[in-house]
């Protein structure tokens, strides 16, 4: 039974936050609401995925060289359609699209830039594992007209908002606008995201480590030595941790954010620059991690300080509980890998 008291919807929460910004125009709030709407549509289709013809391959390969799933294509189109006509956005970019996505000529161009990984964790779709949508918002740097690549290639520290939606046992939206991190749970009975986690903070030291250990042999000696600490092999330096790995960044990050932990996708002999994308995955998650008291590096450097040079640039990612991320950086420095 649901009693309507003063439970905050995303809209009410965003409006409350806006009060801190007398100069706010409400456009960012509306933009976050556009994203919330798109993810509700994606959630509704994921929930019925086995019943409607939306599972399996779309029979195409995306710019990442990955086989596109039907849900990847659907989620990508849903995000783009929710954003491209509102007059709030000047350009978009998606992990699924080779080039930047312009606002169609017959729609006005706005002041925001939105980047998204429409469906993260694609390998989990057909096995009913948790997947997610990741988004990142910047103000444009060009002054007028259609947005350009220059508007998209901004360092993460310039984000005005970032978040993700996890389609797990429940559907949750987690986001920050630089005033801490809040979490909302979708109530399917009323189709609204309701505030369920007002002020999310992550423990300084985590109990979990999340990494694809099958890549161990391909890691550098420094990364191997760092992960061996999580195994409990370096008791003088760090307490061993429990291993958890779903293979979906959103799901692994979400667990560690709430319960404390560290997620790593290091570079390796197969992915010498790492696997995860700076703009669509690493920068938005880094903004959330830092706003929750955690941290995020490429092993050594702060993710939010990295200046992107390519649209689909990949980097190594170490993210989560602050002291654990620091321990990895110290290990790599000691091993002369930084
Ligand atoms: P996409 O599904 O958006 O391509 O994301 C990449 C990803 O699935 C991450 O979500 C996840 O952390 C990682 O790749 C898993 O990679 P691997 O299967 O190599 O461990």
């Amino acid at each position: 039974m649901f009693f309507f008291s003063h439970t905050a919807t995303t809209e009410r929460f965003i409006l409350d936050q806006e009060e801190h910004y007398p100069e706010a125009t409400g456009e960012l709030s509306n933009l976050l609401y556009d994203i919330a709407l798109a993810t509700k549509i994606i959630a509704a289709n994921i929930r019925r995925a086995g019943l409607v013809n939306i599972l399996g391959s779309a029979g195409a390969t995306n710019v990442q060289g990955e086989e596109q799933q039907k849900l990847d294509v659907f989620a990508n189109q849903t995000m783009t359609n929710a954003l491209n006509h509102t007059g709030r956005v000047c350009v978009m970019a998606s992990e699924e699209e080779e080039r930047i996505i312009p606002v169609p000529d017959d729609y006005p161009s706005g002041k925001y830039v939105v980047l998204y990984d429409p469906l993260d964790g694609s390998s989990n779709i057909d096995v009913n594992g948790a997947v997610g949508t990741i988004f990142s918002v910047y103000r444009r740097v060009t002054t007028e007209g259609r947005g350009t690549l220059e508007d998209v290639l901004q360092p993460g520290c310039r984000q005005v908002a970032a978040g993700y939606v996890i389609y797990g046992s429940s559907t949750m939206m987690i986001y920050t606008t630089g005033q801490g991190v809040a979490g909302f749970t979708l109530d399917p009975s009323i189709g609204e995201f309701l505030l369920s986690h007002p002020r999310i903070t992550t423990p300084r030291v985590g109990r979990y480590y999340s990494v694809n250990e099958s890549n161990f042999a391909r890691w550098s000696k420094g990364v191997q030595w760092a992960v061996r600490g999580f195994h409990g092999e370096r008791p003088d330096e760090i307490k061993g941790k429990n291993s958890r790995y779903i293979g979906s960044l959103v799901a692994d990050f979400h667990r560690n954010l709430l319960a404390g932990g560290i997620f790593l996708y290091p570079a390796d002999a197969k992915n010498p620059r790492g696997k995860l994308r700076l703009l669509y995955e690493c920068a938005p998650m880094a903004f959330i991690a830092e706003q929750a008291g955690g941290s995020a590096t490429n092993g050594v450097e702060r993710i939010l300080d990295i200046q992107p040079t390519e649209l689909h640039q990949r980097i190594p990612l170490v993210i989560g509980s602050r002291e654990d991320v620091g321990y990895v950086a110290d290990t790599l420095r000691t091993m002369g890998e930084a």
Side-chain angles (χ1 to χ4, degrees), residues 167 216 277:
Y167 311 105
F216 190 96
R277 279 54 60 149

Side-chain angles (χ1 to χ4, degrees), residues 62 64 66 72 95-96 117 119-123 211-212 214-215 245 247-250 252 263 265 270-271 275-277 281:
N62 67 12
Q64 319 290 345
E66 295 157 349
D72 284 324
E95 189 196 82
E96 294 298 328
D117 177 355
L119 208 66
D120 174 69
S122 311
S123 59
V211 68
N212 184 342
S214 68
N215 295 327
Y245 190 71
S248 152
L249 169 64
V250 166
D252 284 311
F263 171 94
Y265 209 108
K270 196 171 73 183
N271 302 295
K275 176 181 180 178
L276 302 178
R277 279 54 60 149
E281 293 162 323

Side-chain angles (χ1 to χ4, degrees), residues 215-229 231 332 337:
N215 295 327
F216 190 96
R218 286 190 283 265
W219 292 334
S220 70
K221 290 283 171 259
V223 171
Q224 290 179 350
W225 188 224
V227 172
R228 289 174 69 178
H231 295 168
L332 296 181
E337 293 184 14

Side-chain angles (χ1 to χ4, degrees), residues 181 202 253 257 284-297 302-305 319-320 322:
V181 178
T202 197
F253 176 85
L257 180 72
M285 294 309 215
F287 190 21
I288 297 164
E290 289 201 6
Q291 283 291 313
S295 63
T297 70
R302 183 177 175 240
I303 296 281
L304 295 182
D305 292 338
I319 190 166
R322 177 169 292 279

Side-chain angles (χ1 to χ4, degrees), residues 48-253:
R48 293 179 304 123
L51 306 171
V52 292
N53 178 23
I54 205 164
L55 285 178
S57 169
T61 302
N62 67 12
V63 62
Q64 319 290 345
E66 295 157 349
E67 187 187 2
Q68 270 189 324
Q69 304 298 306
K70 288 181 188 155
L71 266 170
D72 284 324
V73 176
F74 174 81
N76 186 47
Q77 206 49 57
T78 304
M79 287 291 283
T80 305
N81 292 349
L83 294 165
N84 67 2
H85 64 289
T86 61
R88 294 184 258 280
V89 173
C90 67
V91 67
M92 297 154 283
S94 166
E95 189 196 82
E96 294 298 328
E97 306 257 1
E98 183 163 0
R99 292 184 181 75
I100 59 174
I101 307 168
V103 168
D105 290 342
D106 39 8
Y107 293 123
S109 192
K111 66 178 180 191
Y112 291 109
V113 178
V114 187
L115 300 95
Y116 38 94
D117 177 355
L119 208 66
D120 174 69
S122 311
S123 59
N124 277 340
I125 297 172
D126 288 3
V127 292
N128 204 7
V131 291
T133 295
I134 308 172
F135 64 89
S136 168
V137 182
Y138 296 82
R139 274 199 193 82
R140 66 182 303 167
V141 289
T142 57
T143 49
E144 59 190 5
R146 304 288 150 199
T148 67
L149 189 58
E150 189 195 348
D151 292 306
V152 173
L153 296 182
Q154 298 190 51
C157 55
R158 288 224 205 112
Q159 290 174 97
V160 292
Y164 60 85
V165 172
I166 177 168
Y167 311 105
S169 40
S170 67
T171 298
M172 281 190 72
M173 179 179 203
I174 308 283
Y175 83 91
T176 183
T177 55
Q179 296 173 68
V181 178
F184 300 77
T185 301
L186 181 62
D187 182 332
S189 67
I190 59 172
E192 273 293 353
F193 281 108
L194 300 178
L195 184 65
S196 51
H197 300 65
R199 271 167 300 287
I200 298 175
T201 56
T202 197
R204 293 182 67 80
V205 176
R207 61 177 128 136
Y208 298 116
Y209 76 101
S210 309
V211 68
N212 184 342
E213 296 254 16
S214 68
N215 295 327
F216 190 96
R218 286 190 283 265
W219 292 334
S220 70
K221 290 283 171 259
V223 171
Q224 290 179 350
W225 188 224
V227 172
R228 289 174 69 178
F230 300 140
H231 295 168
E233 296 175 46
R234 301 172 59 189
D236 305 340
E237 284 139 278
I238 189 166
K239 192 163 166 288
K241 299 181 186 298
N242 204 343
S243 169
R244 287 282 184 281
Y245 190 71
I246 294 172
S248 152
L249 169 64
V250 166
D252 284 311
F253 176 85

